[in-house]
């Protein structure tokens, strides 16, 4: 009798968890790191060749996918429900040893992130060190350990077991570089296992882009598509992919002409982009961001470009920009998930990462902006990314700071 009860309890628990996958964000962040922050004394900047003594040292989570998980946990911290752990699943390799143990512990205990899709591989986890000065930060990035074929198979099998029992993921976030041992088709293979025509996919990587776009196009083709995909890039990356030279240099503001030419070049170079992607979301440092709405068919080269106003951080004191771009990716996808589903779910029972209080802000802004879901989502992402620059720890922010920036953001301009 006791065994029967135990089996029933386990079955119910597994079913409860599995049911959540189709409403979860799966973050593919294969290249994790332990992040160390070496903070210099006030009014001091790094001078090569000099001896520097730390004002203080801090340790946390590094890696683009892991930053996304941390940022999503900041949104979930507003939500006191017990099911928050199943809302974000981080597919990652964490090397065995003290560095991997430390990152695993931080992700689970401080940020409430599930380790369901974590593989503890044999290679040591890399360490990334940020030297934080008064006016600038310098990043030192170690090489990653090799992921073996057997370790990749473990991750694939974990994903297959979840999707076989529960269907595909609601949202997928593909972040950054891959560790050695991963093939050029790794992202496309994992996406094929995780996504269906109703999934929302955000890509913040140019690694393996060709095969990934091919897989997405095959998933989304047809008349019954319910999801979509966005590629997040910075302006310099888009120009490079589109074969356009930024005349004023990478750190200068991108011009409207450069945006148009690089988008045309990107579509021409990546033939599967049309059909695979719905939008390009472009960051440009301290300058305005852009949402580029791509045509739905390859027979048209007509696309729309919306400019979002820049957020002024010049009066906010010391800034910590490491991880801000990852925060933009995380919060854009979370907002998109909410706005995509909000017509189908009430604020009280919607399962997504965005809690109802933030959801009301998003719905209000979307209404003011004539239903432009992606512009609203990206604006919220930019607001969260800006808010994360106020905090020393990578990708950590307060929803109050983000909400302040978001509320003050002016309507996007069609260029």
């Amino acid at each position: 009798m006791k065994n029967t009860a135990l089996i029933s309890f386990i079955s119910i628990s597994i079913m409860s968890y599995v049911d959540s996958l189709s409403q979860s964000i799966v973050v593919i962040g294969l290249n994790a790191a332990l992040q160390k922050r070496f903070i210099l004394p006030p009014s001091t900047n790094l001078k090569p060749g000099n001896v520097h003594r730390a004002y203080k040292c801090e340790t946390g989570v590094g890696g683009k996918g892991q930053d996304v998980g941390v940022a999503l946990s900041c949104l979930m911290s507003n939500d006191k429900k017990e099911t928050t752990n199943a809302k974000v699943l981080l597919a990652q390799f964490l090397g065995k040893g003290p560095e991997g143990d430390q990152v695993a512990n931080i992700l689970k205990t401080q940020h409430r992130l599930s380790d369901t899709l974590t593989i503890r591989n044999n290679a040591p986890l890399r360490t990334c060190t940020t030297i934080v000065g008064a006016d600038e930060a310098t990043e030192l990035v170690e090489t990653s350990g090799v992921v073996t074929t057997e370790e990749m198979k473990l991750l694939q099998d974990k994903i297959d077991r979840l999707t076989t029992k529960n269907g595909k993921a609601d949202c997928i976030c593909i972040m950054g570089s891959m560790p050695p041992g991963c093939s050029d088709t790794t992202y496309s293979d994992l996406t094929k296992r995780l996504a269906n025509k109703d999934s929302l996919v955000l890509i913040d990587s140019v690694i393996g882009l060709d095969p990934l776009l091919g897989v997405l196009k095959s998933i989304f083709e047809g008349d019954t598509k319910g999801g979509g995909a966005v590629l997040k890039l910075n302006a310099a990356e888009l120009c490079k992919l589109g074969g356009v030279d930024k005349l004023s240099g990478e750190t200068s503001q991108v011009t409207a002409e450069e945006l148009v030419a690089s988008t045309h070049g990107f579509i021409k170079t990546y033939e599967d982009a049309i059909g695979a992607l719905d939008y390009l979301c472009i960051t440009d440092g301290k300058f305005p961001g852009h949402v580029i709405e791509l045509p739905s068919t390859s027979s048209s080269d007509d696309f729309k470009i919306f400019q979002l106003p820049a957020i002024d951080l010049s009066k906010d004191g010391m800034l910590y920009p490491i991880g801000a771009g990852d925060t933009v990716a995380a919060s854009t996808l979370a907002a998109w998930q909410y706005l995509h589903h909000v017509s189908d779910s009430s604020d009280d029972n919607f399962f997504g990462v965005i809690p109802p209080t933030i959801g009301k802000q998003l719905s209000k802004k979307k209404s003011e902006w004539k239903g432009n879901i992606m512009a609203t989502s990206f604006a919220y992402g930019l607001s969260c990314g800006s808010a994360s620059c106020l905090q020393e720890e990578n990708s950590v922010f307060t929803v109050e700071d983000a909400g302040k920036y978001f509320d003050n953001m002016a309507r996007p301009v069609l260029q």
Side-chain angles (χ1 to χ4, degrees):
M1 186 69 176
K2 288 182 179 180
N3 289 339
T4 303
L6 179 59
I7 292 171
S8 299
F9 172 76
I10 292 173
S11 299
I12 292 170
S13 298
I14 292 173
M15 184 61 68
S16 176
Y17 173 79
V18 168
D19 282 347
S20 71
L21 179 62
S22 62
Q23 301 175 357
S24 296
I25 296 177
V26 176
V27 182
I28 303 177
L30 305 183
N31 218 0
L34 176 68
Q35 182 73 44
K36 291 186 176 180
R37 286 176 292 279
F38 184 100
I39 301 172
L40 297 174
S43 304
T44 303
N45 284 312
L46 176 69
K47 293 183 179 180
N50 283 15
V51 174
H52 292 280
R53 290 179 172 82
Y55 177 68
K56 61 178 176 178
C57 292
E58 299 173 338
T59 304
V61 173
K64 290 180 70 66
Q66 292 64 36
D67 284 349
V68 166
V70 169
L72 292 174
S73 78
C74 293
L75 295 171
M76 290 191 293
S77 67
N78 245 21
D79 184 353
K80 305 304 181 183
K81 294 180 181 179
E82 296 298 324
T83 54
T84 52
N85 215 27
K87 292 183 178 182
V88 178
L89 302 176
L90 185 53
Q92 62 181 345
F93 295 102
L94 286 184
K96 294 177 180 177
E99 295 85 359
D101 292 344
Q102 190 169 1
V103 170
N105 181 62
I106 293 172
L107 290 172
K108 190 168 186 177
T109 60
Q110 294 184 24
H111 301 293
R112 298 185 295 161
L113 295 174
S114 169
D115 60 0
T116 300
L117 294 179
T118 295
I119 302 297
R120 298 301 304 270
N121 59 312
N122 286 321
L125 184 67
R126 64 179 178 152
T127 297
C128 297
T129 302
T130 305
I131 303 174
V132 181
D135 304 312
E136 59 191 15
T138 301
E139 187 80 355
L140 306 177
V141 181
E142 293 183 2
T143 56
S144 303
V146 175
V147 172
T148 67
T149 302
E150 293 75 18
E151 289 164 345
M152 179 59 71
K153 182 68 164 53
L154 288 175
L155 177 60
Q156 293 169 340
D157 288 346
K158 279 194 171 192
I159 289 172
D160 290 344
R161 284 194 294 271
L162 280 178
T163 56
T164 297
K165 292 180 179 179
N166 181 52
K168 304 295 186 176
D170 187 44
C171 297
I172 301 160
C173 189
I174 301 165
M175 295 299 300
S177 61
M178 294 185 282
C182 298
S183 73
D184 196 47
T185 59
T186 296
Y187 283 152
S188 59
D189 173 73
L190 296 179
T191 300
K192 189 173 183 179
R193 295 168 187 270
L194 283 163
N196 65 13
K197 61 183 177 60
D198 295 319
S199 300
L200 303 179
V201 181
L202 186 144
I203 307 161
D204 190 350
S205 175
V206 297
I207 307 299
L209 193 55
D210 249 333
L212 177 56
L213 293 179
V215 163
L216 288 173
K217 185 173 182 177
S218 68
I219 290 172
F220 290 138
E221 63 185 356
D223 299 328
T224 58
K225 170 184 170 183
V230 57
L231 176 63
K232 174 191 165 289
L233 301 161
N234 62 48
E237 288 173 326
L238 177 62
C239 288
K240 185 175 181 179
L241 292 178
V244 174
D245 292 327
K246 285 191 72 180
L247 297 180
S248 300
E250 287 195 4
T251 59
S252 62
Q253 182 175 2
V254 68
T255 66
E257 293 77 15
E258 288 168 343
L259 275 177
V260 171
S262 57
T263 302
H264 278 298
F266 174 77
I267 292 172
K268 183 177 180 180
T269 302
Y270 294 90
E271 296 180 355
D272 289 330
I274 303 302
L277 300 172
D278 299 281
Y279 305 96
L280 305 177
C281 285
I282 311 301
T283 59
D284 197 16
K286 63 181 180 180
F287 303 111
H290 296 84
V291 172
I292 303 174
E293 185 178 329
L294 297 177
S296 58
T297 64
S298 56
S299 61
S300 171
D301 61 356
D302 182 26
F303 51 83
K304 298 177 182 178
I305 300 179
F306 297 90
Q307 184 183 83
L308 293 166
I311 296 172
D312 183 12
L313 299 177
S314 61
K315 298 179 181 179
D316 288 319
M318 180 68 182
L319 300 178
Y320 306 90
I322 304 297
D326 305 331
T327 306
V328 173
S331 305
T332 297
L333 182 56
W336 187 20
Q337 181 191 37
Y338 182 88
L339 293 173
H340 182 76
H341 289 289
V342 72
S343 60
D344 301 322
S345 305
S346 73
D347 284 347
D348 293 332
N349 62 24
F350 179 65
F351 183 84
V353 169
I354 296 288
T357 52
I358 299 174
K360 290 175 182 177
Q361 282 183 292
L362 291 169
S363 296
K364 179 182 177 183
K365 187 72 76 174
K366 185 192 77 169
S367 178
E368 293 172 355
W369 290 1
K370 299 181 179 180
N372 193 328
I373 288 180
M374 186 48 63
T376 305
S377 302
F378 193 43
Y380 189 70
L382 292 171
S383 300
C384 294
S386 298
S388 75
C389 292
L390 307 181
Q391 307 295 326
E392 292 185 9
E393 186 177 350
N394 289 19
S395 299
V396 169
F397 66 95
T398 71
V399 294
E400 291 78 17
D401 285 335
K404 176 185 65 176
Y405 293 137
F406 184 61
D407 283 341
N408 292 331
M409 188 170 285
R411 187 189 303 271
V413 177
L414 179 62
Q415 293 188 307

